[in-house]
Each structure stands twice: as C-alpha cells, then as structure tokens.
Amino acid sequence: MAITRRHVLAGSVAMGVAAGGTAMAATRAGGSVERWGVHEIVLHGPASGNPFVDVEVAATYRRGDTEVEVPGFYDGDGVYRIRFSPPDLGRWTWTTRGNAPGLSEAKGAFDCVAPAKGNHGPVRVTDDGYHFVHADGTPFRQIGTTCYSWALQSEARCAETLATLAKAPFNKMRMCVFPNVASIATDPFVRTGAGLRDWDPARFDPAYFRRFEDRIRKLGALGIEADVILFQPYDAKRGYSDMTRADDERYLRYVAARWGAYRNLWWSMANEYDLIKTKTVADWDHLFQVLQAADPHDRLRSIHNIHVYYDNRKPWITHASIQNGAAVTGDIPAQLHRSFAGKAVIFDEVCYEGDIDARWGRLTGEQMVAAFWWGTIGGTYVGHSETFAAGRNADGSWLGQGGRLVGTSAPRLAFLRRVLEEGPRPGIEPIQTWWQYHMAGKPQEYYLHYFGDAQPNEWRVAIPGKPGEPLHRYRAEILDTWNMTVTPVEGEFAMAQAGAYDQQDPNRPTLALPGKPWLAVRLRRV
Amino acid sequence: MAITRRHVLAGSVAMGVAAGGTAMAATRAGGSVERWGVHEIVLHGPASGNPFVDVEVAATYRRGDTEVEVPGFYDGDGVYRIRFSPPDLGRWTWTTRGNAPGLSEAKGAFDCVAPAKGNHGPVRVTDDGYHFVHADGTPFRQIGTTCYSWALQSEARCAETLATLAKAPFNKMRMCVFPNVASIATDPFVRTGAGLRDWDPARFDPAYFRRFEDRIRKLGALGIEADVILFQPYDAKRGYSDMTRADDERYLRYVAARWGAYRNLWWSMANEYDLIKTKTVADWDHLFQVLQAADPHDRLRSIHNIHVYYDNRKPWITHASIQNGAAVTGDIPAQLHRSFAGKAVIFDEVCYEGDIDARWGRLTGEQMVAAFWWGTIGGTYVGHSETFAAGRNADGSWLGQGGRLVGTSAPRLAFLRRVLEEGPRPGIEPIQTWWQYHMAGKPQEYYLHYFGDAQPNEWRVAIPGKPGEPLHRYRAEILDTWNMTVTPVEGEFAMAQAGAYDQQDPNRPTLALPGKPWLAVRLRRV
C-alpha cells in the first residue's frame, strides 16, 4: 500500500496524500517529480507498540545502474513515510521493505523531470574544497544568519520572520531542533509527566517534527538553506542534548530519514559542542558516522565550537563551522582557517550586531559588516545575527526567536552579496594573504582590496605578480561598503612589472580615495 | 665481541674505543653511563658486500620490566655500532643480535647514574600539549635559529658558528642533513662517478654522518637542541630528497639508529615539504611512520611547510613546525595555530632579519623581535635567522652557513629568553586571545601584555575576570623589549570587579607609559 506525493520546495502546490488502505501513487502530471524535489512514499502499518523502536521501513530507488537505499520513518497514526530526492533526470522505480505488515513490497515508478525555476539543487562544496555550489552549478555565496528557535514560535511569529527574510540578504539560516529560548513548541518527545525531564526519548512527537519541517520547506521556498542544529548546550533543564548514545542514534536516524530529502537542508551536529559536557569528542565522531550512514542524501555536515576547535579535517566534515569573533577582524586570521582545515570555512558566529550587555552581543553595524568583508577577503564566509535588547524587537531578539531586523548591517550585507554575485565563480579566493596584500579574487582577472576601518586618501595600485607572469589592463571601482556605492574610476591601469613581486602601472601608480572608513577597491581586467 | 663507550653530550671526556677482536666493555668509573647520556656498543662484522643493505644488527636493553629494542648501524671498515640513551637510573643489561658473524650474542651491563650538571634530558612536549620540557622537568623555552648547512662547512667555520652560538640566546638550531648552499661536505652517499647525480643511495658515506653527529654533539654541549632537517627541496641537482621510497626508508632507519640516542636531537622531516614534488602527503605520512618505528628514543617529530600546512593533528606529529611570517604579526593569528593543531607550535620560519632583495629576507631587527613577542603572547614559539647580503658576513649568510651574527635582534631575544625563564612554568599561556586582551601568562598569577609597534602613553590596567573569581593585588613592571630594560612601577594594583568581564583597581585604573614602541607590561601577583 503505497502513495507517492511530491513536496515542492519552491512553494508551488504539493499533492495531497491519499490516505486509506488501497495502494496508489499520487504524482503530478503523470507521475513526475522535479529533479532535487521530494518523492514521498506513504505506507500504512502498525500503530501499536512503539513503532519508533520496533518498526523498520525503507525503500530502494533505482535508475539505470544507480541504486539508492532510503530509510523511512514513522509519522504517527500508523503512517510511515519514505522520502527521496532524485538527483538525476529520468525514470526511477522504487520498492519498499519493512519488518511489519503493510510495509513491504510496495512498488512504483516516477519520472524525474527538469527542475522548476529557482530550484538549483542542493548545495555542495566545490571541487577545490573552499567554496559552495548548487548541484546545477550555480555558485552559493553564503550570507548566513541565525535565529536559534524561530521555527518553534507561533505561526504569526514565524510568518513575521519569513516576511523579514523575504526582504533580507540571507541565504542560510542556523536553527536549533531543540528550544533554547521561550518557544511555543518545546516537546520533541512524548511527555510522560509534568516535569521538564518527564519525556520518553524513544517516542518522538511527530507533530513537533512536522512543524519543524514546515519551516525548513518555507525557508526553501525563499531560497534559504536550513542549517539545522541537532544538539546544543542550552536545554540542560530538559536534557534533550544529554541523552544516551542509543537515544542519540535513534534521533539522528529519525531526522535523517525525515528531513534528509529536503534539498536546502544542512546538518550542524551541534552548537558550541564543547559546552555539552555529556559528550566527548569520540562521541561526536561516532554521531557523525551514524548520521553519515543514515543520510543517503549526504547533506553538508559541520559542527560549531565555543572554545575548542573540533578537528575539521576529519572526513565526515564537509566544511568548518567556526565561532570566533577575532578571526574576522582581518583577512589573515580568517584565511588561516582555510589553511588548517583544508576545507571551506564559515564563521557561523562572530559576535552579533546588538546592544545587550554581554560582550558577544554588542557589535556595531559597522563591525558586523566589516567582519563579513574581512572573512570574504580571507576566502571564507561569515554569519550574522542580531541581539538588540528587549523593546527594540517585539519579543526577544532576532537571535532567539526571529521576528524583525532592527540593526543596520542587513542592507550592507545585501550590498556585499551583490558584489559576490558579480564576482568570480565559484568564489573569492585569497591572494597571497600571508604577504599582507589584503586582497582576494581571481589572479589576473579580478581583485578586491578591502581597507576596513582605515581612512585612506590614496592607494598604491599594485597587484602580486612575478617577472614573466602576464600583464593586463584593469579598470578600477571604489566601493563604499557602508554607503553601498560603486564609483567607477576613469581610465585604466596598464600593469607593468614593478620589482620582483608586484605589477603596477608606471604612469598611474596610485589611486585617490575619499578618506573614509569601510572602503574597498575592485579591479577588473579589461 | 662488544665494546661499550659513552658519549658525553655536555662536553666532558669520552672514553676511547678499544678496537680489536676481543670482547670487552670500556665504560667509565666501573661501567656507568649518565642518565640520558649515550651507551654505545661497538661490534666487528663483515666489511664485504653492502653491509648497509645486507646486515642487520640490534640490541635489547633491559632494566627491570623495561625492555628496549635498539637498532644498530654500519659505520664502515667492518665496524657496527648500537647507541642507546638510558632513560632511567639503575642497572641495565644488553644483548645483541645480528644476521652476520660477530654481531650476535654479545652481552653486557652498565649502571645508569645521575646526570652531570647541565644534562636535563631530552625535550618533550608537556602534558598539556602546548609547551616543551626537559625530561628532568626543566622547562624548555624555545628561542630557535636556523643555519641550514652550517654543519657541512669547514672545521674553522663550524668553530666560528659554535663560538657565536655560545654567546647567543638560541637554544635550538635547524640544520639540514643534505647541503643547500656551498659546503665542504656534500656527499652523504658513496659517489659512483663525476656527475652530481652519480651516487649510490644504498651506500652511505660514514664520514659524512660522523661529521654531522660531531656537530650535533657540539650543539648539545652548548645546551642547544639540534632540529635536524631530513629532506629539503634545495638539492634538486643532486637529488638527495628525490630518492625512491625504499631508499628513503633506508636513510631514515640509518639516521634514526645513528643519531636517535643523542638527547638534543629533534626530527624535522622536511623543510618546505610542499616544494618537494617527488613526494605526496601520503608519502610523508608513510615516512613519519617509518621514522617513528625506527626510533626507539621517540624524539620530537615535525614537518615544515611553505604554502600548504601539513595536518599537524596527525598522531606522529609532536608539535607544529610552521612557516608563516604573517602569523606572528599579532597574537591572534599565532594563537589560532594552537587552536587548530591542538599541539605546541613553533613558527620555525617567519622571514629573517636581513637586507637581501628577497622579501623573505629583509625584516628589520625590530620586526624580528616583535615576531617573537607576538608569538609568545599567542602561546607559541618562534625561530630566528639572518640574511644579510654578502659582505656583512664573511662568507654567505648566517642562514646558509652560520658564522657570525651581524643583526640587532639577538641581544633582544636574549632579553626575551630571560623574561620567559622568569615566567610561569611550563610556559606562557594565551589568555582570552579571542577577546583582544593581547595578554598571556598564567591567570591570577602572571600577565604579560605586549603593545607591538604602538606607542602608548597610558594603559588601562585590566585583566580578565568574571564576578566570583578571586581578586588579588599585583605589582607591575614596564618592559622595553628593544632597549632591554625592566622598570618597576611603584605600589600595587588591588583588583576589584569591573563590569562583567574585567578586574581593575578602582583607585588606579591606568598606568602611565613612556610612549615608545615595543613596550610590554608585566603584572605579577603580590
């Protein structure tokens, strides 16, 4: 007994699920699913006992030589679901198996058709290892934000957050599965009593996870990646991040089966993992391996620190997720993270724009924006959030619950995003960072030099280049990263060799600048 | 047939070797070897064929439950040697074995006695992982220098280098086995013709290695660690670093057996490993494992980069050896290397004090010294060298051949060394680096704040401390790190809580400073 349906991340109509006891496949337009969309099999099986523990269900999807084993999950009320996101166009067939009546030997097929507009596929790390790209080749220039418990708020509050995001520059959202601030939804597990600790880790509450995946899909509809934080140290009273290993494994398998098919999903194993005292590094290593094995969609995986960096060279880590405000006060410390991790780096937490007393929540807008720029010049990516004291936002801060943005950085991050999107593919590469050029881009094509809080009235227009390397002509633009202006400079710079290390135009060695902070110069080859 | 003798690293008399066919043991004062000294067994075996390939010889040393397998090596003319540095006091017995006549079943015993003055034992990484300590517990505060090919120069030139070192602050010397500049000794392998490539990798020239170990011992007598660089990319014409894997393995086993017993020996697998195009990272991993297995003395192991950081988290790496001048332009980038490696960090190359055209060889003395100070405040260690153009030094630079020091940094590094030796054990720890205190030491005991090239006339005397943490009184001293003065400040600073993060004396919130560059303030608890 199987029913298929199709989630449409981009926001168009999803097919209804035909419930009941007859085998059927509900697909749109003759049984098609768009590439990187979601194909869902719905099965009916036992509702008694504890299906979360007792029942296993999975499907094998096949297309040509490709065969994908996809685990399913129990969604309550005797309903079992298997979700699969087809990576390739063409005819896919599927067969189910399970260890309970009604779950085995269901069969079906669908056509994977071209993706709808706006569906670029899941984000992957680029082949060079340091940037991000959608499956269709579209670069993903990460401009992240964090609202830890936004997804657990009221429908009205969630709608407000989504409306804010629709007009904001952010394309990745960090969000916790478990609540860390006051929330409407607080019970991922079935409650067994009135106390905060009275819940059964072996029984998920499907409604909680259904609500959460609704938020994941709505972010997807806005083109925003959902960087889902699986564990965090802020729910010690409830203890959701302090379960036993067996409970942790069951939880990871559940979310992997339930959410892994959403193409905008990223896994963040933990926030501030090193504050979770009930787990060791060996525990985290193990959990990563469990997650990796449980997720046939192989979504991005990272883990976020407070004091102690996790070893991001480990093979299950796709990119480094770093908390460190000092790392983005210049391009050199930012770039060093690439050198050490050997992977793409996102500074997911660099302190926040705000005015609370805590030192981690009182960056000026200028500092928040500069952190993004220094990270960019270091060849890395940065995350934003806001922590304005109560009253500036209706009910708690953007960091905790979402809602409205009241800071000054977001429009400037939109400006940065535009600069990135106009820049080289797949991203901005650091250029001889260790030699203090404070410059990035693509050698012999594109150079971005950032001045931070200096107030230069002149810049020596020199780019790195050794004798024998090609010499080109460049046009320059002055970018005011705070006032969001791009001012073209008249004429061109015709480079010649200048000493052993630089190229410079002997007739035009310098460029006048307006003597303000937060300037950048962009050089593009003519 | 066995003869034992004793190398005395500290420079006192070594016993003569009794050659000949009778079994005997020549030891000093009734058969004793000082702890961490060298016990040597001399055996006579075959001189025909190729003993470097054909013959294996080793000894088992025993003391109580301790049993150490020590490989030997062929030293030419039918002489085989086995060298062992006893780690523990007491009676040691030994038995040899080999695959040729004369090498097996020799036996003997000696007493390991208290070390002579100045013998602190080999250097190890501290239990916390970030500093260095001798086996007897004496902290080792690394102030390194580099003279790549000093050991391969004439006796007169070597004597000049050693005389310079005797008056210099350096306690570690980086030195290549294979020549990288003009040298007297150029042939570690037996020559087979007139061409640079005409040598037999399977036949070592014992005289070359005997000369090199004489330099290792002479450094030891000065209390200087020999950081021996096994491979390097600068001998491409001769190709010593481009041998086959089997030849590399034989070479590593030879130097491990020959030099591993010297307590001042460190292994640097390579200089600028990523410029050696004939070896991959997998090759380096393999060679480390070969070296580790071949070295029962388990000496320190590192590898030095140019562009691409080796993964210093790998288990055979004892400490990170880093080339990066930008990393020590502040304490934050320096400290990040600790965060990433999770190990002690030595910036073995940060550009050099000098005046040559190349950008890596023209630091001012002030820049060289500041690099050491920033590295110190970041909880790391730094290396020096000099690259003054020909004429300033008699024959090539200190970096290449040794000789004389002509720069201005060395006396200031002696001043730093004194500050370190007066500081907390085992070393200076970074203190909340990510929060921009630019301060290091030992919380609630000792604080060192460095100002770099700023010219402050006042400092806000605040140390990190949250409410509830102990409050103490401190005395302050102003250190002029360039003029090498320590100026005590009158009175004390009685700390009180100041806000959520700092401790400060409300009656004395600031300290007047002389408005010069290269200042530091030292606070010590009363």
Side-chain angles (χ1 to χ4, degrees), chain A residues 311 313 340, chain B residues 273 288 301-305 308-322 337 340-345:
Chain A
D311 180 1
R313 295 237 195 189
F340 264 109
Chain B
Y273 81 91
F288 268 114
R301 289 176 299 271
S302 68
I303 188 167
H304 163 280
N305 66 287
V308 181
Y309 283 178
Y310 183 84
D311 180 1
N312 286 296
R313 297 236 196 191
K314 288 180 176 169
W316 41 81
I317 296 290
T318 55
H319 64 283
S321 169
I322 302 288
H337 290 71
F340 264 109
K343 287 180 185 165
V345 175

Side-chain angles (χ1 to χ4, degrees), chain A residues 90-108:
Chain A
R91 187 74 175 172
W92 288 84
T93 63
W94 53 266
T95 314
T96 71
R97 64 179 188 287
N99 62 354
L103 304 181
S104 290
E105 297 301 324
K107 288 179 168 45

